Amino acid sequence: MTEYQIYSLFSGSGGNSVLIRAGGVNILIDAGKSARALCRSLTGIGSDIGEIEAIFITHEHADHIGALEVLSRRHRIPIHITEPSAAALSPSCRDSLREVMSIHS
């Protein structure tokens, strides 16, 4: 059986993000707040942004994507997002994520 750990980094209208560690893989669900705050929270639990292999976005509200653009630009982390949520992103955000974003139906 694969061991897993789940850490709620942020939860609420100010930002949402959850780290899931399972089978040696580290993923983020949402990237709310700022990139700096998210990195600080990861450090606080003994992790690092360099260990994140993917970010899954549940939807495009600001409290779920606040750090997305900066994280993807600085760290080239693959982003997984649904087509409707990707379409709702600002044009500048979509352009900056184009190379790392996987859009799903």
Side-chain angles (χ1 to χ4, degrees), residues 37-85:
L38 188 57
C39 290
R40 198 173 315 137
S41 289
L42 287 169
T43 299
I45 61 166
S47 190
D48 182 82
I49 194 65
E51 297 173 352
I52 304 301
E53 297 177 45
I55 300 173
F56 289 80
I57 300 300
T58 59
H59 62 284
E60 71 283 354
H61 291 167
D63 59 327
H64 293 261
I65 65 164
L68 190 60
E69 193 171 350
V70 172
L71 288 179
S72 65
R73 191 174 51 238
R74 290 186 184 162
H75 302 283
R76 310 292 299 158
I77 300 169
I79 308 297
H80 298 272
I81 189 169
T82 64
E83 191 171 358
S85 289

Side-chain angles (χ1 to χ4, degrees), residues 3-52:
E3 213 174 293
Y4 64 91
Q5 298 170 312
I6 300 172
Y7 298 91
S8 178
L9 302 174
F10 305 109
S11 179
S13 60
N16 294 279
S17 188
V18 173
L19 171 67
I20 299 175
R21 291 178 171 166
V25 176
N26 296 292
I27 63 168
L28 283 178
I29 305 298
D30 293 327
K33 296 238 183 208
S34 68
R36 179 176 292 148
L38 188 57
C39 290
R40 198 173 315 137
S41 289
L42 287 169
T43 299
I45 61 166
S47 190
D48 182 82
I49 194 65
E51 297 173 352
I52 304 301

